[in-house]
Amino acid sequence: MFTQYDLEDIRDRARAAFIGMAIGDALGATVEFMTASEISAKYGTFREIIGGGWLRLKPGQVTDDTEMALCIARAIVKNQTWSLEAIADNFAAWLKSRPVDCGDTCRKGIRAYMLHGQLESPPNEWDAGNGAAMRIIPAALYSLPDGELLKKYVIEQAHITHNNPVSDAACICLGQLLHMIICGAEKSRLRRHADGLVARFPTFAFDPYRGLATGYVVDTLQTVFHWFFRGRNFEECLVGTVNQGGDADTTGAICGMLAGAYFGMEAIPRRWLKKMDARVIAEIEIMVERLVDASPLGRMM
């Protein structure tokens, strides 16, 4: 069943996906909440990891996107199993640490767990932000290549904070795309899969692109898909995405995740990698290896 997979290639793509996410987060955070025209006026085309922005970050510093993904990864690796309680505990400890940033819906869900032990937020039509989608990568890696496990893990972690059918659809689609890319799918097949999401949820239609890059998960995926499917390399995908502004750390993180997996580690610009927090990158590399090795695919190889 698994003999067609090259475990070393899968590890490389998985590593590039998680590191690509962190790079997109750090790059986009500088221009978060700016408009595309404001970015153009200030930077021309913004393409360097310099920190700053409204959060006054150090160059290479990551935000809640990467930090929450690492919370999930640490829980899986430490417990050697999928434990929603362990993930929620890590989210709670992270929130108590006064992180540099945390979205309102994430904060609300984590506080409900801290106060009431609630592991599933009640359904809410307004909880269609991108905060659940941005952190799915550990669930995707740990479930490789099992589509049913992917859905279970992705939705359970999402519902700690975001219980909404549009958010769920985005999370599942992104997880499925990650599985496909890591296992070597071409862009034409990936595009058909993204078009399938649009067929089921027409609100996600991204061609023609509307140019919105807000924290609403629909706008987020429209931006990510527009630039991922246009981009000819990792840098082009990310630069196009973050120069839309808006929720640029999260659009950058999600596009970096897909583009990293697709183009691989060799395609990630060295100048960006050198700017990143070395401790974060080192931890990501350890987590990726352990997540892939503990996945159904890793156990069978």
Side-chain angles (χ1 to χ4, degrees), residues 64-165:
D64 51 339
D65 304 65
T66 306
E67 289 170 349
M68 292 191 82
L70 282 170
C71 284
I72 298 171
R74 291 175 193 132
I76 297 168
V77 168
K78 181 179 179 182
N79 291 275
Q80 288 297 293
T81 189
W82 181 261
S83 167
L84 206 55
E85 290 87 352
I87 291 168
D89 283 341
N90 281 1
F91 284 170
W94 170 74
L95 188 61
K96 287 177 187 172
S97 75
R98 298 188 177 182
V100 67
D101 190 25
C102 179
D104 291 341
T105 307
C106 287
R107 186 183 303 276
K108 181 181 70 174
I110 296 167
R111 284 187 57 78
Y113 172 72
M114 292 164 68
L115 294 171
H116 310 295
Q118 178 181 288
L119 285 168
E120 183 172 19
S121 294
N124 188 331
E125 65 175 307
W126 305 110
D127 287 351
N130 55 24
M134 71 188 188
R135 60 186 194 232
I136 64 158
I137 192 165
L141 298 184
Y142 186 55
S143 60
L144 272 169
D146 189 319
E148 290 308 308
L149 271 184
L150 170 76
K151 287 180 185 177
K152 168 182 160 62
Y153 295 163
V154 161
I155 294 306
E156 285 185 357
Q157 69 81 27
H159 283 187
I160 296 173
T161 56
H162 295 67
N163 190 345
N164 177 281

Side-chain angles (χ1 to χ4, degrees), residues 100-270:
V100 67
D101 190 25
C102 179
D104 291 341
T105 307
C106 287
R107 186 183 303 276
K108 181 181 70 174
I110 296 167
R111 284 187 57 78
Y113 172 72
M114 292 164 68
L115 294 171
H116 310 295
Q118 178 181 288
L119 285 168
E120 183 172 19
S121 294
N124 188 331
E125 65 175 307
W126 305 110
D127 287 351
N130 55 24
M134 71 188 188
R135 60 186 194 232
I136 64 158
I137 192 165
L141 298 184
Y142 186 55
S143 60
L144 272 169
D146 189 319
E148 290 308 308
L149 271 184
L150 170 76
K151 287 180 185 177
K152 168 182 160 62
Y153 295 163
V154 161
I155 294 306
E156 285 185 357
Q157 69 81 27
H159 283 187
I160 296 173
T161 56
H162 295 67
N163 190 345
N164 177 281
V166 178
S167 168
D168 289 354
C171 290
I172 291 170
C173 181
L174 285 171
Q176 290 169 334
L177 285 170
L178 266 178
H179 273 198
M180 293 163 70
I181 298 169
I182 289 170
C183 293
E186 291 299 319
K187 263 198 183 177
S188 56
R189 187 173 161 220
L190 305 174
R191 177 61 192 256
R192 287 195 299 273
H193 194 76
D195 288 341
L197 173 68
V198 173
R200 294 189 307 278
F201 291 83
T203 186
F204 282 104
F206 59 95
D207 188 9
Y209 176 53
R210 296 186 303 148
L212 300 177
T214 73
Y216 177 38
V217 75
V218 168
D219 294 343
T220 297
L221 258 61
Q222 286 175 349
T223 295
V224 168
F225 288 163
H226 175 74
W227 291 105
F228 173 66
F229 288 116
R230 282 170 62 104
R232 293 165 295 181
N233 55 54
F234 180 84
E235 182 168 350
E236 201 171 277
C237 290
L238 253 66
V239 168
T241 298
V242 301
N243 276 271
Q244 293 296 144
D247 201 10
D249 60 332
T250 300
T251 57
I254 295 173
C255 192
M257 178 173 70
L258 298 180
Y262 188 79
F263 293 105
M265 280 302 300
E266 284 300 309
I268 295 177
R270 299 296 101 183

